[in-house]
Amino acid sequence: MTLRHGLDWQKVQMLVARERAAFIEKMPRSKALSEQAAQHLLFGVPLHWMNDWSTPFSLYVDAAKGAQFRDVDGHHYVDFCLGDTGAMFGHAPEPVGRAIAAQAQKGFTTMLPSEDAPWVAKELARRFGLPYWQFAMTATDANRFVIRWARAATGRKQVLIFNGCYHGTVDDVFVDLVDGQPVQRDSLLGQVYDLTQYTRVVEFNDLAALENALKEGDVACLLAEPAMTNIGMVLPEPGYWEDAQALCKRYGTLLVMDETHTISTGPGGYAQAHGLQPDMFVVGKPVGGGVPCAVYGFSAEIAEKAQNAKRNAAPGHSGIGTTLTANMLTMAAMRANLAEVMTDEAYTYMFGLARHLADGLSRVIKAAGLPWCVTQVGARTEFQFTATPPRNGTEADKILDPALEQAIHLFLLNRGLLITPFHNMLLVCPDTTTEDVDRLVQTFADFVAATLP
């Protein structure tokens, strides 16, 4: 018998074979669509990472509403992935749907502002504590743009990130620490220049390493999630961010918080919940209720420096922004989502449900004697294959087990429960019910029971 993270690996492999066969048998329409897609879509999917799911071929969605969706073969699912945060407040929220439908009759995009723009900007300032804002179509774009603004505002070239971070497909952040040395990530396709020339990388929760990277006084910004979420969740140690923020101020480095995922912490994100004061701030896909959009904010001081940099630059394209940025359809969606969906009451409900989920998963793990742990950030919960939560990207990377993750994911999926295809992250939304959570916990327990030695 081979043990893997406390489970009988032979049992896991036998279970996966059965689950793959069961999926194939009950998904004829998805299988047919996958075969059609292979004729004209690269890798047979609209985006190549859609092959990262645990399924033998793509699962095709017919409709999604609230906390549930239906596939093209007529099966219903409770969705704990929620578009990897894009639908964090549920699929197709009614207020957002109404706003989009109304705006669709009045136009989509004009390259001019609508009356929703000042309302949304004022609301963003109220929620997140930064007075000035700009818009983008994705968090990737927003992160790319804030790096440019930070360099322009400071006159510095270097960018600092944490090992194992994820900020979308921004080339500058694809640098890892390997045996303590910065190395351009091997998986980055088509990159021809050395990213380590202008990107530094340190471990999360390591204040000494952070200060060492900042002390030369040439780092424009530290771009960071307040809690790492894409390599498996890594939480900041007590007091870390207060000290890290102070170091950034001491060395003149701008602190940029990317809260596209940690917006799960509260209506104003992690920074507001924990009293932090970033110089710049990014929120992506959740802010529009699932409509492609992102926003990024500036402190008053950095806004003035950014505006001066633009005014003093040569005329022409700044390299920041796209023609669809702040289009009328997106702005209407953001206004409706911020006003009626992304409310304090919604967060209070989600926090309680996520706590119920975390407690349930922890009970199953403890009862089975597994060396696993459960981590929670607001409405976001994750179970990890380690008894002690990781404190940095290197530790988080070492405990990832894609084969075991996919075994669990497929087992859940075949029983009408979807979680993210990457590690073991789960989200709840205002439409998720206690019964949905209890069903997931019980199904998770069934997987554990079927694979224990």
Side-chain angles (χ1 to χ4, degrees):
M1 179 178 65
T2 301
L3 286 179
R4 190 152 159 176
H5 298 291
L7 300 179
D8 183 329
W9 191 242
Q10 283 75 24
K11 286 186 178 181
V12 172
Q13 291 176 307
M14 291 171 61
L15 179 145
V16 168
R18 293 194 301 270
E19 296 299 320
R20 288 176 65 87
F23 180 90
I24 292 169
E25 182 179 357
K26 68 179 184 178
M27 300 296 180
R29 182 62 181 150
S30 279
K31 185 174 188 294
L33 287 170
S34 293
E35 291 169 353
Q36 292 176 31
Q39 299 175 31
H40 298 291
L41 290 174
L42 198 65
F43 301 104
V45 285
L47 287 170
H48 69 86
W49 50 254
M50 287 184 177
N51 281 328
D52 291 344
W53 291 91
S54 58
T55 54
F57 47 80
S58 292
L59 176 69
Y60 278 75
V61 175
D62 177 49
K65 181 68 177 174
Q68 300 193 16
F69 70 93
R70 181 180 68 244
D71 69 27
V72 294
D73 287 289
H75 305 108
H76 292 260
Y77 304 82
V78 180
D79 189 356
F80 289 91
C81 173
L82 295 169
D84 192 22
T85 314
M88 196 182 91
F89 302 100
H91 295 290
E94 292 288 353
V96 177
R98 289 195 303 269
I100 292 172
Q103 185 60 52
Q105 303 305 311
K106 299 192 295 182
F108 298 169
T109 185
T110 62
M111 291 181 67
L112 293 166
S114 68
E115 65 178 14
D116 291 327
W119 188 97
V120 170
K122 182 178 180 180
E123 173 62 11
L124 293 173
R126 182 192 71 81
R127 281 177 179 257
F128 301 116
L130 285 87
Y132 294 99
W133 293 83
Q134 291 279 270
F135 298 90
M137 290 303 296
T138 69
T140 290
D141 280 347
N143 283 317
R144 185 180 296 115
F145 299 160
V146 296
I147 289 173
R148 279 188 182 273
W149 282 121
R151 285 170 166 160
T154 63
R156 299 177 176 184
K157 297 180 179 180
Q158 295 289 327
V159 172
L160 180 61
I161 58 171
F162 290 122
N163 185 40
C165 71
Y166 181 76
H167 300 286
T169 55
V170 179
D171 285 9
D172 303 68
V173 306
F174 281 80
V175 178
D176 295 322
L177 278 179
V178 177
D179 297 327
Q181 297 300 312
V183 176
Q184 186 167 303
R185 196 171 298 177
D186 291 337
S187 60
L188 183 60
L189 294 171
Q191 180 53 261
V192 296
Y193 67 86
D194 182 8
L195 297 176
T196 63
Q197 183 179 0
Y198 295 113
T199 299
R200 293 179 189 163
V201 56
V202 297
E203 294 286 11
F204 195 57
N205 280 320
D206 188 336
L207 286 168
L210 178 62
E211 182 166 18
N212 190 55
L214 296 176
K215 66 183 181 182
E216 293 181 30
D218 58 351
V219 176
C221 67
L222 167 61
L223 174 60
E225 291 184 290
M228 298 181 72
T229 65
N230 216 70
I231 196 167
M233 283 210 285
V234 181
L235 303 185
E237 295 179 339
Y240 174 77
W241 271 118
E242 289 77 5
D243 292 340
Q245 182 174 257
L247 286 173
C248 287
K249 289 187 181 301
R250 181 187 307 170
Y251 294 107
T253 294
L254 305 186
L255 176 58
V256 182
M257 286 289 190
D258 176 1
E259 294 228 36
T260 298
H261 282 176
T262 57
I263 192 65
S264 64
T265 310
Y270 188 100
Q272 283 288 294
H274 293 271
L276 302 178
Q277 296 179 316
D279 300 290
M280 301 177 76
F281 186 93
V282 170
V283 180
K285 48 200 172 185
V287 76
V291 174
C293 65
V295 299
Y296 56 104
F298 302 74
S299 69
E301 178 185 357
I302 302 308
E304 182 178 3
K305 290 182 177 180
Q307 290 175 108
N308 287 338
K310 174 59 180 168
R311 292 184 182 118
N312 295 330
H317 201 296
S318 65
I320 296 172
T322 63
T323 55
L324 287 176
T325 297
N327 68 79
M328 294 186 294
L329 205 63
T330 295
M331 297 304 294
M334 279 196 284
R335 180 170 183 170
N337 192 61
L338 289 166
E340 301 182 61
V341 181
M342 198 172 165
T343 63
D344 292 354
E345 293 76 15
Y347 272 100
T348 298
Y349 175 77
M350 291 190 294
F351 291 165
L353 205 56
R355 183 71 263 160
H356 183 62
L357 172 58
D359 288 345
L361 294 172
S362 295
R363 283 195 302 272
V364 173
I365 290 167
K366 182 178 180 180
L370 293 173
W372 301 2
C373 67
V374 177
T375 309
Q376 182 189 354
V377 176
R380 178 181 297 267
T381 306
E382 179 155 0
F383 58 93
Q384 296 171 288
F385 306 135
T386 176
T388 304
R391 65 182 301 271
N392 57 45
T394 294
E395 291 182 9
D397 182 61
K398 287 180 179 178
I399 64 174
L400 295 178
D401 189 336
L404 178 54
E405 291 159 12
Q406 291 210 341
I408 297 171
H409 300 178
L410 183 57
F411 186 89
L412 295 172
L413 183 67
N414 277 345
R415 288 150 185 81
L417 299 157
L418 184 78
I419 69 174
T420 56
F422 322 113
H423 41 96
N424 298 309
M425 195 277 293
L426 306 100
L427 282 166
V428 296
C429 74
D431 297 294
T432 311
T433 67
T434 301
E435 291 74 20
D436 294 333
V437 169
D438 290 343
R439 178 180 161 196
L440 185 139
V441 170
Q442 182 57 57
T443 308
F444 175 73
D446 292 342
F447 174 88
V448 170
T451 55
L452 281 175

